[in-house]
Amino acid sequence: MNITRKDIDAVNATLTIEVKKADYAEKVETQLRNYRKKANIPGFRPGMVPVGLVKKMYGKAVEAEEINKLVSDALFGYIKENNINALGEPLPNESQAKIDFDNQEDFEFQFDLGIAPEIDIKLSAKDKIKYYQIALTDEMVENQIKSYTGRFGSYIQAESVEEADVLKGELLEMSGKKVNEAGHKVEDAVLCPKYMKNDKQKALFIGKKIGDVVVFNPKKAFENEAEIASLLKMSKDEVHAIDADFQMTISGITRYEESPVDQSLFDKVFGEGEVNSEEEFVAKIKESIQKNLDADGDYKFSMDAREAIIKKLDGVVFPDTFLKRWLLASNDKMTEEIVESDYPKMLEDLKWQLAKDKIANDSEVKIEFEDVEAFAKKIAQAQFAQYGMNNVPDEVLAGYAKDMLKDEKSIRNMMDGALNDKVVATIKAAVKLDAKEISMDDFNKMLEEK
C-alpha cells in the first residue's frame, strides 16, 4: 500500500492511497474463515459449509468491508503520524473514479484535506484591551440585605389585616344584604388583598381582625377568571354565572415577616459564627457582590479579548471551499443556503479555537484534572447563584461537580471551559488593560447592544 500527498496550496491537499490485492487478501481470507465457522446455511452442519460457497455468498461484501477499513486506518494513521492539523474530516475527492469492487483487484482512493493555516499570535503591552470595572454601590448592598431578610423571614399570625397578608375564612354567597342559604359556599377560602385589582374592594379588608365579616364582590375584586375560580373553588365556566357579593368571616391572618438583621440571620446566610456583627455582615456582602462584579467584568473581557485575537487573524487564508463542503457532507439537514449564512460565524469560532490552542502551546498552558474539577465547581456555583444562593458550602459544590463529570461529553465541555479560562488569563497578563469604571446599568446596556 502506498500513500502520496499532493499540496494544492498551503491549506488544501490531496492524499492518494493505492491498495493492491496483496494488502487485503489475507485479511479477507481470515474473515471468510470466521464466516464459515459461524454460517448457518440449510443443508450444512455449522462450520462445515464449503469455502467456495462462503466466498460466493459473502466474498465481495467482505472484501469491500476490509478494503474500506484498511483505507480508513491508513488515512487517519498518515494524518496522525505526519502531524497534519486537519480541519473537519477528509472528504473523497470529487474527481475520484468510481470504485468497482466486483471487477477490480487494485484500487486507488483520493481524499481532500483541509489544513489549518500556520498562525502566529504575539501578545504584548502594545495590545490594549478594555477592562470594565463595575462600580459597587450602596444600593446593591441594601438590595442584597433586603433579599436575605426576605428569604430568611418567617410566617406569623397577625392581629389585623395588612395588604400583603394571606387571609383564611368561610365564604358565603349573598342575596342582597342577606346570606343566600342555597348559594355557593367555600369553607376554607384563601385570598390576599394585595392581588385585588380594585382598590375599593381591597380597602374593605384592610384593618379587619379575626372574626370580622367582610362583604365584597369577587368579580370586581380580581377581574381574572382563573383567580376567581381558584378562590371560589369552581370551574371557569361556572364563574361566568356568578355576579353576587360574598361575605367572608375571617378565621386566620398570616403574615410573612422579614428577618431582623441579627446574629440569627448572619448564621443562616454565612454559616454559624462566620460573621458576628452588622459591620462584618455588610463587609462580607460587599466582598460577595464584588466577586460577582469581577466575574462579570472578566466575562466581558473574555469577549473583547476573543474579538481582538480574531482580528489579529485578518488576512489568514482558510480552506473555505473545503470547509463548506465538509459542513454539507457532515449534516443531512444542512443546505447550501444555511452554510453560506452560518459560515462567517463558524469561521470566527474556528479562528478562536486555533488561536486558543496556539496561545496555550506557546505559553505551555496545561489542563490538569484539578482544573476541570475547579471549572465544574464554578459552573455549579453560578447555577446556585441564579437562585440567590451565593454561599453554598464547598462540599456541596464538589458533589455537584462530581455528578457533572460523570458524562464524557460534559467532561469535554469542562476541559474546553477550563482551557478557555486559562488562555484568557494568559492574555490578560500579557496585554495592557485599559481599565474603565462603569455602572451596572451601563454595563448591562452595553452587553445587550453587543
Side-chain angles (χ1 to χ4, degrees), residues 19-158:
V19 179
K20 303 293 185 183
K21 185 174 182 179
D23 297 320
Y24 62 84
E26 186 176 341
K27 293 179 182 293
V28 171
E29 289 298 322
T30 300
Q31 195 65 357
L32 287 172
R33 284 196 294 272
N34 291 334
Y35 268 65
R36 182 173 181 257
K37 292 176 184 177
K38 300 173 184 176
N40 187 7
I41 298 175
F44 299 95
R45 285 182 295 162
M48 299 302 292
V49 181
V51 174
L53 181 58
V54 172
K55 276 189 177 182
K56 185 177 179 180
M57 294 179 69
Y58 303 112
K60 289 301 177 182
V62 170
E63 184 177 295
E65 181 182 349
E66 289 301 319
I67 291 171
N68 283 326
K69 193 185 299 182
L70 185 69
V71 169
S72 177
D73 290 345
L75 176 62
F76 289 102
Y78 182 90
I79 292 171
K80 184 177 180 180
E81 289 167 15
N82 290 274
N83 295 315
I84 301 173
N85 192 2
L87 300 176
E89 299 283 340
L91 295 174
N93 185 275
E94 291 179 312
S95 62
Q96 165 82 56
K98 187 176 180 181
I99 303 296
D100 184 359
F101 287 106
D102 289 332
N103 298 302
Q104 288 181 243
E105 290 188 342
D106 297 336
F107 303 89
E108 183 177 280
F109 298 86
Q110 291 184 321
F111 294 93
D112 294 331
L113 296 184
I115 302 169
E118 292 291 334
I119 59 175
D120 187 18
I121 307 291
K122 293 191 185 314
L123 298 171
S124 71
K126 292 180 181 179
D127 298 297
K128 189 161 67 172
I129 302 177
K130 273 193 169 56
Y131 185 82
Y132 293 94
Q133 298 170 325
I134 306 168
L136 173 62
T137 65
D138 291 340
E139 184 182 6
M140 291 178 185
V141 177
E142 290 166 7
N143 287 340
Q144 187 60 63
I145 292 174
K146 188 169 181 61
S147 173
Y148 285 142
T149 57
R151 191 192 318 161
F152 294 105
S154 58
Y155 289 98
I156 63 168
Q157 295 304 307

Side-chain angles (χ1 to χ4, degrees), residues 168-172 209 211-214 247-252:
K168 187 176 180 181
E170 182 183 56
L171 280 181
L172 297 174
K209 298 179 180 180
D212 286 350
V213 176
V214 179
Q247 78 166 30
M248 181 178 194
T249 303
I250 300 173
S251 61

Side-chain angles (χ1 to χ4, degrees), residues 284-388:
K284 197 82 170 175
I285 287 173
K286 285 183 176 180
E287 180 186 326
S288 177
I289 295 173
Q290 190 63 62
K291 186 177 179 181
N292 290 330
L293 296 179
D294 290 345
D296 288 341
D298 285 342
Y299 170 71
K300 181 63 171 70
F301 175 79
S302 72
M303 293 171 62
D304 292 341
R306 181 183 190 273
E307 190 175 303
I309 297 301
I310 289 174
K311 194 169 183 180
K312 282 179 174 285
L313 300 183
D314 283 352
V316 174
V317 176
F318 280 79
D320 299 321
T321 302
F322 171 86
L323 288 172
K324 290 176 182 179
R325 274 182 61 207
W326 173 70
L327 286 171
L328 280 170
S330 61
N331 189 336
D332 292 338
K333 296 180 180 179
M334 193 66 71
T335 65
E336 290 185 6
E337 291 76 13
I338 295 175
V339 168
E340 288 300 326
S341 172
D342 292 355
Y343 186 73
K345 176 65 172 62
M346 191 218 80
L347 187 59
E348 278 198 359
D349 292 342
L350 178 57
K351 286 179 178 180
W352 175 235
Q353 186 61 53
L354 293 175
K356 280 196 300 183
D357 292 343
K358 177 66 174 173
I359 293 169
N361 186 62
D362 291 348
S363 303
E364 297 184 347
V365 171
K366 305 292 183 186
I367 299 298
E368 308 293 345
F369 188 70
E370 290 77 11
D371 300 315
V372 179
E373 284 183 314
F375 187 82
K377 285 171 66 175
K378 175 182 168 183
I379 296 299
Q381 190 172 39
Q383 291 173 347
F384 278 111
Q386 289 180 340
Y387 299 98

Side-chain angles (χ1 to χ4, degrees), residues 170-187 214-218 232 234 238-239 241-249:
E170 182 183 56
L171 280 181
L172 297 174
E173 186 178 350
M174 304 290 288
S175 178
K177 294 186 177 181
K178 293 183 179 181
V179 172
N180 182 354
E181 298 298 336
H184 190 66
K185 178 181 179 180
V186 182
E187 292 185 353
V214 179
V215 177
F216 74 110
N217 188 291
L232 300 180
M234 56 174 56
E238 291 173 315
V239 164
I242 297 289
D243 285 313
D245 290 343
F246 278 74
Q247 78 166 30
M248 181 178 194
T249 303

Side-chain angles (χ1 to χ4, degrees), residues 88 98 159 169 259 363 404:
K98 187 176 180 181
E159 294 183 1
S259 168
S363 303
M404 287 183 192

